[in-house]
Amino acid sequence: MGEIWEGLVAGFWLVITLDADLVAITLRSLHVTLTAVMIASAIGLPFGAWLAIQRFRHRRATIALLNALMGLPPVVVGLIVYLLLSRSGPFGVFGLLFTPTAMIIAQVIIITPLIASIAHQAIRDVWAEYHDLLLSLSTSKWQRIKTLLWDGRRALMTASLAGFGRAIGEVGAIMIVGGNIDNATRVLTTAIALETGKGDFALALGLGFILIGLAVTVNLVIHTIGQTEREGKW
Amino acid sequence: MIRAFAFIFGLLASTVAADDLKLAVTTSFHNSGLSDILLPAIQADTGINVQLLVVGTGQAMRLGQAGDVDAILVHARAAEEAFVAGGFGTHRREIMYNDFVVVGPVSDPAGIAGADTAQQAFTRIAAAQALFVSRGDNSGTHQKEIALWEAAKRAPDGNWYRSVGAGMGAALNTAAGMNAYILADRASWLNFGNKAGLGMLYSGDPALFNQYAYIPVNPDLHDHVRADLAERLEVWLTSERAKQLIDGYRINDEQLFTFNAAAAD
């Protein structure tokens, strides 16, 4: 119990004193994860919508596969991205290993199936409602996807936020492809792993509380901007 | 969409900086805290921004082999010589040494505190079947531990031998949790914050000395390797200034590392 309290105190002081390292690490966490969420949403949301309205031969199998990929083990994704980006791997010439870009790539792979799958579920409900209307207006497929994405935007926000939640707390993949380099690729989760390794549990826990606080703040901000709680507005 | 692509390319472009050198080092070097002293001095004296990748010696060698780092600083002589002989590194330069210590529960159930040699201490642990935590990650510390078991002619197997496959700090945490014996380097042990019921029980045998060596990755195999920076770093690491910083680094009044680089020929 004593160590949890010490952790709270350590976290509190880090925030109060605006520790320069902490600010840099926190901003890097946000940069990596928000970029990954944006890219994954740009791919996953339209793909989920397309999957909801399009009928094709192996649709069921595709959806089942997509759902299964939600559980992709981050360590395996990290290892594969590592081998691809390594200087001796196929994309080695770009020199991306141990950079924030490599971390973003790994996170995009981890969260795109999650975002696409939740988006698919959400859009399917909207599509059931809009089906007759959109068909009677003889809209094109892309117009339908756009309409569904726009009118389902609040449910889709949940999809993106779920992706954010998975990415911000992830440590296995980004440790492998980022390397936890001080001032270059160290983020909150890898810093926590490092401090735990040093046996400095109070600092590790303090960073942990900051990470949780960050996740809550980002969610609150996005919900406020999105005005999800406003009455009478869909 | 175009904006998104521009953003991605912006990210890609921003990743290459002028004087960054990637150096794979062992966890024991970093956990000791010495890197926190050396890196700012290196930056100030040479302008090189050393990016540390803290991994086990085994993985450090893999990184060097693949050309993912510019140089490595490790401590496992046989593996280092094989690395250089395989053409992956240009040469091996000894920099400094520290030593390993045997850490265990202060009650010392195996009675190793009075042992004459490290070999005898290990024999006693095996005879008592006292809990022992092994790094199990093919690191320099792990390789030293295996060599000690071989010297003691004891096969480390059975329920008392726990291989955790983790770095020095994580393995020490495990040992603290299980109240087990463990082989650690002195620096990591002194710097470790969660000692719980553990204490340093045996040290001082020359068999426990731990030589660190610096190996630049062979630029003939990888064009992008910053051989120029690796050479400047080697000159600095073997300089009088490095000697003062390394010999002068103390925790609780104990000197942790001893500089022993030979002068340049």
Side-chain angles (χ1 to χ4, degrees), chain B residues 3 15 19 23 88 122 138 147 193 197:
Chain B
R3 227 184 301 169
T15 54
D19 273 356
L23 177 68
F88 302 116
F122 268 60
N138 205 21

Side-chain angles (χ1 to χ4, degrees), chain B residues 107-115 121 124-125 128 181 201:
Chain B
S107 59
D108 195 11
I112 66 162
R124 288 183 186 177
I125 292 171
Y181 288 93
L201 298 176

Side-chain angles (χ1 to χ4, degrees), chain B residues 170-230:
Chain B
L172 277 168
N173 274 330
T174 311
M178 299 198 300
N179 220 15
Y181 288 93
I182 182 170
L183 182 73
D185 62 285
R186 186 185 293 269
S188 299
W189 166 248
L190 287 177
N191 243 336
F192 185 61
N194 176 36
K195 293 193 169 72
L198 298 183
M200 187 173 82
L201 298 176
Y202 183 83
S203 68
D205 186 336
L208 293 175
F209 282 5
N210 178 31
Q211 179 70 49
Y212 282 84
Y214 176 81
I215 306 176
V217 169
N218 191 351
D220 294 344
L221 295 182
H222 310 282
D223 305 334
H224 57 269
V225 165
R226 299 293 308 264
D228 53 331
L229 294 183

Side-chain angles (χ1 to χ4, degrees), chain B residues 33 73 82 100 117 150 181 228 230 243:
Chain B
L73 181 65
F100 290 110
T117 62
E150 276 168 10
Y181 288 93
D228 53 331
K243 179 183 165 74

